[in-house]
Amino acid sequence: MTTNPLIRCAVVGNPIAHSRSPEIHHAFAKQFDLTLHYDRILADRNDFSDHVRGFFAQGGKGLNITVPFKELAFSMAQVRSPRAELAGAVNTLWMDNQVLHGCNTDGVGLLNDLIRLGFNPKDKRVLLIGAGGAARGVVLPLLSAQPSHLRIINRTAQKALDLVNELATQADPLTANTQIDGGDLSSIEGTWDIVINATSSGLHQQSPLQTVPLFNENALAYDMVYGNQPTAFLQQCHHAGAKQCADGLGMLVGQAAASFFIWHGHKPELDPVLATLR
Ligand code: ATR
């Protein structure tokens, strides 16, 4: 009988005890008969880079990076994907020929989840709320799906406008088929097919919006945060007529799947893993 070699991966963050990544990656590994050991690593700002270097020096295959180290991981990566560049943040690290590579798979995770839910953004009007790290992490994959309109709104309007300007210069020709604009949280005129909350307001049981946007007949409200109960944002959207409401658990599984593919070259099935997590 042959046994597969042990592959080591881990997630680094602070706090980290709550992370569901080990559960998700072990479930993926089972699908391909991989012998994976996926750990949680608690780091702080002073020892984060030592953890990363030590992990790869000992033959580790891949690291996921979570709050609050995605920007530090970005600055450590010697080669970065365009998605990582625009996000200014890295959630996936791996070593290739002694060179540390970084990518941001959050956006692919979101896009795959939207498609799984039956809401492909192509030719749709998409309203993205937030212009911090979480929003930056998802805009390029969102644009690659070619929505007809992408509007980015934020409490600090200037941050949304800055992101819109960056997209206009960096993502061309991705932006060719999409009208992109931005504004403050009141810039919600029109009706929308997909409304995504990428702010951290849900962590304080608040919705970022005073006034809810108008939804098209078959519209989705999506909160990148997840939990046992619908977030304040999702409750608000449900009452305002959004046909479907979804939290970010599917995105979490999706971003993990994209990291898994980078490291192991296999595309896992998401639905059974998502069902187990719920
Ligand atoms: P992250 O990297 O996790 O996205 P961040 O960069 O601090 O964190 O960004 C948090 C986002 O949530 C920002 O868009 C922030 O708006 P500002 O840029 O104006 O700060 C938004 N946010 C946080 N709390 C909010 C609230 N109570 N209402 C509306 N927006 C909020």
Side-chain angles (χ1 to χ4, degrees):
M1 196 178 93
T2 55
T3 45
N4 290 326
L6 177 70
I7 305 167
R8 286 183 49 238
C9 293
V11 57
V12 192
N14 191 335
I16 200 63
H18 66 285
S19 171
R20 305 198 76 175
S21 292
E23 206 177 333
I24 296 170
H25 280 269
H26 286 138
F28 288 164
K30 260 196 185 160
Q31 295 179 14
F32 303 98
D33 230 355
L34 300 181
T35 314
L36 175 72
H37 183 77
Y38 189 111
D39 250 338
R40 295 183 182 89
I41 299 177
L42 178 67
D44 62 41
R45 294 212 156 260
N46 298 325
D47 64 14
F48 172 77
S49 57
D50 292 340
H51 277 294
V52 172
R53 276 190 272 274
F55 176 84
F56 287 112
Q58 287 162 25
K61 178 88 174 177
L63 282 179
N64 280 134
I65 309 299
T66 186
V67 177
F69 299 126
K70 291 186 189 181
E71 286 80 10
L72 270 179
F74 173 86
S75 60
M76 280 189 81
Q78 295 158 283
V79 176
R80 297 185 289 240
S81 66
R83 288 179 212 142
E85 287 294 346
L86 188 75
V90 154
N91 77 337
T92 306
L93 286 172
W94 69 101
M95 201 61 96
D96 191 8
N97 275 328
Q98 314 292 328
V99 177
L100 188 63
H101 288 246
C103 185
N104 192 315
T105 66
D106 289 331
V108 182
L110 172 66
L111 183 59
N112 288 345
D113 203 32
L114 296 179
I115 292 169
R116 183 186 68 84
L117 292 162
F119 290 86
N120 188 331
K122 185 161 171 54
D123 301 327
K124 299 291 190 227
R125 285 172 49 84
V126 178
L127 181 66
L128 179 65
I129 310 163
R136 281 179 166 270
V138 300
V139 281
L140 271 192
L142 264 184
L143 268 180
S144 73
Q146 303 193 319
S148 59
H149 194 148
L150 175 65
R151 178 171 297 165
I152 304 170
I153 59 173
N154 196 43
R155 183 173 59 183
T156 314
Q158 193 55 49
K159 273 170 68 181
L161 298 174
D162 289 348
L163 183 52
V164 166
N165 285 336
E166 273 182 61
L167 285 172
T169 52
Q170 289 196 28
D172 189 37
L174 267 185
T175 50
N177 298 318
T178 303
Q179 181 188 339
I180 308 177
D181 51 28
D184 63 19
L185 293 176
S186 67
S187 310
I188 55 171
E189 63 278 4
T191 56
W192 300 91
D193 300 300
I194 302 175
V195 179
I196 301 168
N197 181 20
T199 74
S200 50
S201 67
L203 300 174
H204 317 288
Q205 281 78 46
Q206 284 174 356
S207 167
L209 298 182
Q210 303 278 336
T211 315
V212 194
L214 293 175
F215 292 101
N216 278 330
E217 203 176 307
N218 182 26
L220 172 73
Y222 194 99
D223 201 325
M224 284 167 52
V225 168
Y226 62 88
N228 294 333
Q229 300 296 323
T231 62
F233 168 76
L234 289 181
Q235 290 179 35
Q236 194 184 30
C237 292
H238 175 70
H239 291 307
K243 175 136 185 244
Q244 200 168 331
C245 294
D247 72 11
L249 192 64
M251 176 178 167
L252 178 78
V253 176
Q255 62 78 30
S259 299
F260 192 89
F261 180 70
I262 290 174
W263 299 329
H264 313 297
H266 296 293
K267 285 193 174 163
E269 291 282 334
L270 306 193
D271 283 338
V273 179
L274 200 50
T276 310
L277 290 176
R278 286 256 183 243

mmCIF file of all heavy atoms in Angstrom, residues 14-41:
data_model
loop_
_atom_site.group_PDB
_atom_site.id
_atom_site.type_symbol
_atom_site.label_atom_id
_atom_site.label_comp_id
_atom_site.label_asym_id
_atom_site.label_seq_id
_atom_site.Cartn_x
_atom_site.Cartn_y
_atom_site.Cartn_z
ATOM 1 N N ASN A 14 -4.764 36.785 13.580
ATOM 2 C CA ASN A 14 -4.871 37.125 15.001
ATOM 3 C C ASN A 14 -6.167 37.920 15.207
ATOM 4 O O ASN A 14 -6.250 39.055 14.743
ATOM 5 C CB ASN A 14 -3.672 37.960 15.439
ATOM 6 C CG ASN A 14 -3.613 38.104 16.950
ATOM 7 O OD1 ASN A 14 -4.623 38.011 17.626
ATOM 8 N ND2 ASN A 14 -2.428 38.351 17.447
ATOM 9 N N PRO A 15 -7.197 37.381 15.792
ATOM 10 C CA PRO A 15 -7.258 36.038 16.394
ATOM 11 C C PRO A 15 -7.346 34.964 15.308
ATOM 12 O O PRO A 15 -7.631 35.286 14.145
ATOM 13 C CB PRO A 15 -8.548 36.092 17.193
ATOM 14 C CG PRO A 15 -9.417 37.051 16.433
ATOM 15 C CD PRO A 15 -8.483 38.100 15.885
ATOM 16 N N ILE A 16 -7.179 33.718 15.682
ATOM 17 C CA ILE A 16 -7.179 32.648 14.687
ATOM 18 C C ILE A 16 -7.963 31.423 15.147
ATOM 19 O O ILE A 16 -8.324 30.581 14.325
ATOM 20 C CB ILE A 16 -5.716 32.276 14.307
ATOM 21 C CG1 ILE A 16 -5.688 31.544 12.966
ATOM 22 C CG2 ILE A 16 -5.021 31.484 15.402
ATOM 23 C CD1 ILE A 16 -6.164 32.330 11.798
ATOM 24 N N ALA A 17 -8.247 31.337 16.448
ATOM 25 C CA ALA A 17 -8.880 30.115 16.976
ATOM 26 C C ALA A 17 -10.211 29.810 16.284
ATOM 27 O O ALA A 17 -10.592 28.658 16.131
ATOM 28 C CB ALA A 17 -9.102 30.263 18.475
ATOM 29 N N HIS A 18 -10.926 30.872 15.840
ATOM 30 C CA HIS A 18 -12.250 30.691 15.241
ATOM 31 C C HIS A 18 -12.191 30.256 13.775
ATOM 32 O O HIS A 18 -13.210 29.930 13.188
ATOM 33 C CB HIS A 18 -12.986 32.037 15.293
ATOM 34 C CG HIS A 18 -12.311 33.042 14.405
ATOM 35 N ND1 HIS A 18 -11.127 33.653 14.739
ATOM 36 C CD2 HIS A 18 -12.616 33.477 13.169
ATOM 37 C CE1 HIS A 18 -10.766 34.450 13.755
ATOM 38 N NE2 HIS A 18 -11.640 34.365 12.797
ATOM 39 N N SER A 19 -11.003 30.291 13.179
ATOM 40 C CA SER A 19 -10.913 30.102 11.720
ATOM 41 C C SER A 19 -11.466 28.746 11.284
ATOM 42 O O SER A 19 -11.151 27.713 11.865
ATOM 43 C CB SER A 19 -9.467 30.214 11.258
ATOM 44 O OG SER A 19 -9.385 29.817 9.893
ATOM 45 N N ARG A 20 -12.269 28.769 10.235
ATOM 46 C CA ARG A 20 -12.856 27.525 9.719
ATOM 47 C C ARG A 20 -12.027 26.969 8.562
ATOM 48 O O ARG A 20 -12.391 25.946 7.965
ATOM 49 C CB ARG A 20 -14.302 27.778 9.301
ATOM 50 C CG ARG A 20 -15.121 28.377 10.457
ATOM 51 C CD ARG A 20 -16.586 28.258 10.256
ATOM 52 N NE ARG A 20 -17.039 26.905 10.511
ATOM 53 C CZ ARG A 20 -18.324 26.543 10.489
ATOM 54 N NH1 ARG A 20 -19.247 27.437 10.246
ATOM 55 N NH2 ARG A 20 -18.677 25.295 10.707
ATOM 56 N N SER A 21 -10.924 27.624 8.253
ATOM 57 C CA SER A 21 -10.124 27.187 7.103
ATOM 58 C C SER A 21 -9.609 25.756 7.231
ATOM 59 O O SER A 21 -9.643 25.015 6.242
ATOM 60 C CB SER A 21 -8.951 28.150 6.875
ATOM 61 O OG SER A 21 -9.444 29.382 6.446
ATOM 62 N N PRO A 22 -9.108 25.313 8.419
ATOM 63 C CA PRO A 22 -8.621 23.935 8.495
ATOM 64 C C PRO A 22 -9.711 22.924 8.121
ATOM 65 O O PRO A 22 -9.485 22.010 7.330
ATOM 66 C CB PRO A 22 -8.206 23.781 9.970
ATOM 67 C CG PRO A 22 -7.881 25.158 10.414
ATOM 68 C CD PRO A 22 -8.849 26.045 9.670
ATOM 69 N N GLU A 23 -10.915 23.143 8.666
ATOM 70 C CA GLU A 23 -12.055 22.271 8.373
ATOM 71 C C GLU A 23 -12.319 22.201 6.854
ATOM 72 O O GLU A 23 -12.526 21.137 6.283
ATOM 73 C CB GLU A 23 -13.246 22.939 9.064
ATOM 74 C CG GLU A 23 -14.376 22.126 9.475
ATOM 75 C CD GLU A 23 -15.387 23.054 10.211
ATOM 76 O OE1 GLU A 23 -15.002 24.096 10.813
ATOM 77 O OE2 GLU A 23 -16.578 22.728 10.160
ATOM 78 N N ILE A 24 -12.297 23.375 6.235
ATOM 79 C CA ILE A 24 -12.610 23.452 4.803
ATOM 80 C C ILE A 24 -11.528 22.744 3.984
ATOM 81 O O ILE A 24 -11.817 21.921 3.116
ATOM 82 C CB ILE A 24 -12.736 24.934 4.369
ATOM 83 C CG1 ILE A 24 -13.914 25.598 5.085
ATOM 84 C CG2 ILE A 24 -12.886 25.042 2.863
ATOM 85 C CD1 ILE A 24 -13.978 27.113 4.903
ATOM 86 N N HIS A 25 -10.262 23.056 4.283
ATOM 87 C CA HIS A 25 -9.178 22.473 3.480
ATOM 88 C C HIS A 25 -9.051 20.972 3.699
ATOM 89 O O HIS A 25 -8.750 20.231 2.754
ATOM 90 C CB HIS A 25 -7.857 23.200 3.765
ATOM 91 C CG HIS A 25 -7.761 24.495 3.014
ATOM 92 N ND1 HIS A 25 -7.193 24.592 1.754
ATOM 93 C CD2 HIS A 25 -8.203 25.733 3.319
ATOM 94 C CE1 HIS A 25 -7.286 25.839 1.333
ATOM 95 N NE2 HIS A 25 -7.888 26.562 2.265
ATOM 96 N N HIS A 26 -9.296 20.515 4.919
ATOM 97 C CA HIS A 26 -9.250 19.061 5.141
ATOM 98 C C HIS A 26 -10.367 18.367 4.357
ATOM 99 O O HIS A 26 -10.165 17.276 3.800
ATOM 100 C CB HIS A 26 -9.329 18.738 6.640
ATOM 101 C CG HIS A 26 -8.057 19.035 7.370
ATOM 102 N ND1 HIS A 26 -7.993 19.627 8.607
ATOM 103 C CD2 HIS A 26 -6.763 18.830 7.010
ATOM 104 C CE1 HIS A 26 -6.731 19.777 8.984
ATOM 105 N NE2 HIS A 26 -5.968 19.303 8.034
ATOM 106 N N ALA A 27 -11.528 19.015 4.292
ATOM 107 C CA ALA A 27 -12.640 18.426 3.518
ATOM 108 C C ALA A 27 -12.291 18.380 2.024
ATOM 109 O O ALA A 27 -12.566 17.388 1.340
ATOM 110 C CB ALA A 27 -13.919 19.231 3.745
ATOM 111 N N PHE A 28 -11.674 19.443 1.522
ATOM 112 C CA PHE A 28 -11.243 19.445 0.113
ATOM 113 C C PHE A 28 -10.222 18.324 -0.122
ATOM 114 O O PHE A 28 -10.287 17.612 -1.118
ATOM 115 C CB PHE A 28 -10.552 20.772 -0.242
ATOM 116 C CG PHE A 28 -11.466 21.961 -0.352
ATOM 117 C CD1 PHE A 28 -10.940 23.250 -0.343
ATOM 118 C CD2 PHE A 28 -12.841 21.816 -0.488
ATOM 119 C CE1 PHE A 28 -11.755 24.362 -0.450
ATOM 120 C CE2 PHE A 28 -13.675 22.926 -0.594
ATOM 121 C CZ PHE A 28 -13.120 24.205 -0.578
ATOM 122 N N ALA A 29 -9.254 18.218 0.785
ATOM 123 C CA ALA A 29 -8.159 17.244 0.598
ATOM 124 C C ALA A 29 -8.722 15.824 0.489
ATOM 125 O O ALA A 29 -8.238 15.019 -0.312
ATOM 126 C CB ALA A 29 -7.160 17.345 1.746
ATOM 127 N N LYS A 30 -9.762 15.562 1.280
ATOM 128 C CA LYS A 30 -10.401 14.223 1.245
ATOM 129 C C LYS A 30 -10.908 13.890 -0.153
ATOM 130 O O LYS A 30 -10.856 12.745 -0.586
ATOM 131 C CB LYS A 30 -11.593 14.197 2.201
ATOM 132 C CG LYS A 30 -11.286 13.554 3.521
ATOM 133 C CD LYS A 30 -12.583 13.225 4.236
ATOM 134 C CE LYS A 30 -12.269 12.683 5.609
ATOM 135 N NZ LYS A 30 -13.426 12.800 6.478
ATOM 136 N N GLN A 31 -11.410 14.928 -0.850
ATOM 137 C CA GLN A 31 -11.966 14.695 -2.185
ATOM 138 C C GLN A 31 -10.915 14.165 -3.156
ATOM 139 O O GLN A 31 -11.236 13.552 -4.168
ATOM 140 C CB GLN A 31 -12.566 15.991 -2.744
ATOM 141 C CG GLN A 31 -13.760 16.508 -1.990
ATOM 142 C CD GLN A 31 -14.290 17.818 -2.581
ATOM 143 O OE1 GLN A 31 -13.949 18.219 -3.695
ATOM 144 N NE2 GLN A 31 -15.139 18.491 -1.823
ATOM 145 N N PHE A 32 -9.632 14.444 -2.874
ATOM 146 C CA PHE A 32 -8.560 14.050 -3.811
ATOM 147 C C PHE A 32 -7.583 13.079 -3.170
ATOM 148 O O PHE A 32 -6.503 12.863 -3.702
ATOM 149 C CB PHE A 32 -7.824 15.300 -4.317
ATOM 150 C CG PHE A 32 -8.747 16.278 -4.979
ATOM 151 C CD1 PHE A 32 -9.249 17.370 -4.280
ATOM 152 C CD2 PHE A 32 -9.161 16.075 -6.285
ATOM 153 C CE1 PHE A 32 -10.124 18.253 -4.875
ATOM 154 C CE2 PHE A 32 -10.038 16.948 -6.892
ATOM 155 C CZ PHE A 32 -10.522 18.046 -6.189
ATOM 156 N N ASP A 33 -7.961 12.583 -1.984
ATOM 157 C CA ASP A 33 -7.092 11.610 -1.322
ATOM 158 C C ASP A 33 -5.725 12.191 -0.992
ATOM 159 O O ASP A 33 -4.715 11.486 -1.039
ATOM 160 C CB ASP A 33 -6.917 10.399 -2.252
ATOM 161 C CG ASP A 33 -7.190 9.130 -1.503
ATOM 162 O OD1 ASP A 33 -7.408 9.223 -0.279
ATOM 163 O OD2 ASP A 33 -7.172 8.053 -2.126
ATOM 164 N N LEU A 34 -5.687 13.473 -0.694
ATOM 165 C CA LEU A 34 -4.412 14.097 -0.309
ATOM 166 C C LEU A 34 -4.247 13.972 1.205
ATOM 167 O O LEU A 34 -5.224 14.092 1.945
ATOM 168 C CB LEU A 34 -4.383 15.588 -0.675
ATOM 169 C CG LEU A 34 -4.537 15.955 -2.142
ATOM 170 C CD1 LEU A 34 -4.469 17.471 -2.316
ATOM 171 C CD2 LEU A 34 -3.445 15.290 -2.970
ATOM 172 N N THR A 35 -3.017 13.759 1.639
ATOM 173 C CA THR A 35 -2.747 13.720 3.070
ATOM 174 C C THR A 35 -2.305 15.112 3.484
ATOM 175 O O THR A 35 -1.149 15.498 3.316
ATOM 176 C CB THR A 35 -1.644 12.693 3.387
ATOM 177 O OG1 THR A 35 -1.941 11.506 2.677
ATOM 178 C CG2 THR A 35 -1.577 12.408 4.876
ATOM 179 N N LEU A 36 -3.268 15.876 3.969
ATOM 180 C CA LEU A 36 -3.011 17.285 4.279
ATOM 181 C C LEU A 36 -3.052 17.514 5.775
ATOM 182 O O LEU A 36 -3.937 17.013 6.464
ATOM 183 C CB LEU A 36 -4.087 18.155 3.597
ATOM 184 C CG LEU A 36 -4.037 19.654 3.904
ATOM 185 C CD1 LEU A 36 -2.835 20.299 3.212
ATOM 186 C CD2 LEU A 36 -5.326 20.337 3.429
ATOM 187 N N HIS A 37 -2.086 18.283 6.251
ATOM 188 C CA HIS A 37 -2.161 18.772 7.629
ATOM 189 C C HIS A 37 -2.236 20.291 7.546
ATOM 190 O O HIS A 37 -1.280 20.949 7.151
ATOM 191 C CB HIS A 37 -0.931 18.324 8.418
ATOM 192 C CG HIS A 37 -1.011 18.750 9.849
ATOM 193 N ND1 HIS A 37 -1.797 18.096 10.776
ATOM 194 C CD2 HIS A 37 -0.447 19.784 10.498
ATOM 195 C CE1 HIS A 37 -1.698 18.720 11.931
ATOM 196 N NE2 HIS A 37 -0.888 19.748 11.788
ATOM 197 N N TYR A 38 -3.398 20.836 7.904
ATOM 198 C CA TYR A 38 -3.638 22.283 7.775
ATOM 199 C C TYR A 38 -3.822 22.867 9.182
ATOM 200 O O TYR A 38 -4.780 22.551 9.877
ATOM 201 C CB TYR A 38 -4.873 22.515 6.898
ATOM 202 C CG TYR A 38 -5.106 23.960 6.521
ATOM 203 C CD1 TYR A 38 -4.939 24.405 5.212
ATOM 204 C CD2 TYR A 38 -5.514 24.896 7.474
ATOM 205 C CE1 TYR A 38 -5.170 25.722 4.862
ATOM 206 C CE2 TYR A 38 -5.746 26.210 7.136
ATOM 207 C CZ TYR A 38 -5.577 26.617 5.830
ATOM 208 O OH TYR A 38 -5.814 27.927 5.483
ATOM 209 N N ASP A 39 -2.910 23.724 9.565
ATOM 210 C CA ASP A 39 -2.821 24.257 10.922
ATOM 211 C C ASP A 39 -3.375 25.678 11.039
ATOM 212 O O ASP A 39 -3.494 26.379 10.035
ATOM 213 C CB ASP A 39 -1.335 24.393 11.288
ATOM 214 C CG ASP A 39 -0.929 23.393 12.335
ATOM 215 O OD1 ASP A 39 -1.816 22.919 13.057
ATOM 216 O OD2 ASP A 39 0.273 23.099 12.411
ATOM 217 N N ARG A 40 -3.597 26.108 12.276
ATOM 218 C CA ARG A 40 -3.827 27.534 12.555
ATOM 219 C C ARG A 40 -2.568 28.086 13.209
ATOM 220 O O ARG A 40 -2.048 27.468 14.139
ATOM 221 C CB ARG A 40 -4.970 27.729 13.553
ATOM 222 C CG ARG A 40 -6.313 27.291 13.078
ATOM 223 C CD ARG A 40 -7.359 27.615 14.133
ATOM 224 N NE ARG A 40 -8.669 27.154 13.713
ATOM 225 C CZ ARG A 40 -9.153 25.950 13.958
ATOM 226 N NH1 ARG A 40 -8.439 25.063 14.635
ATOM 227 N NH2 ARG A 40 -10.349 25.606 13.525
ATOM 228 N N ILE A 41 -2.107 29.244 12.760
ATOM 229 C CA ILE A 41 -0.925 29.854 13.378
ATOM 230 C C ILE A 41 -1.317 31.232 13.916
ATOM 231 O O ILE A 41 -1.774 32.099 13.158
ATOM 232 C CB ILE A 41 0.235 30.011 12.364
ATOM 233 C CG1 ILE A 41 0.659 28.636 11.822
ATOM 234 C CG2 ILE A 41 1.428 30.738 13.000
ATOM 235 C CD1 ILE A 41 1.745 28.699 10.750
#
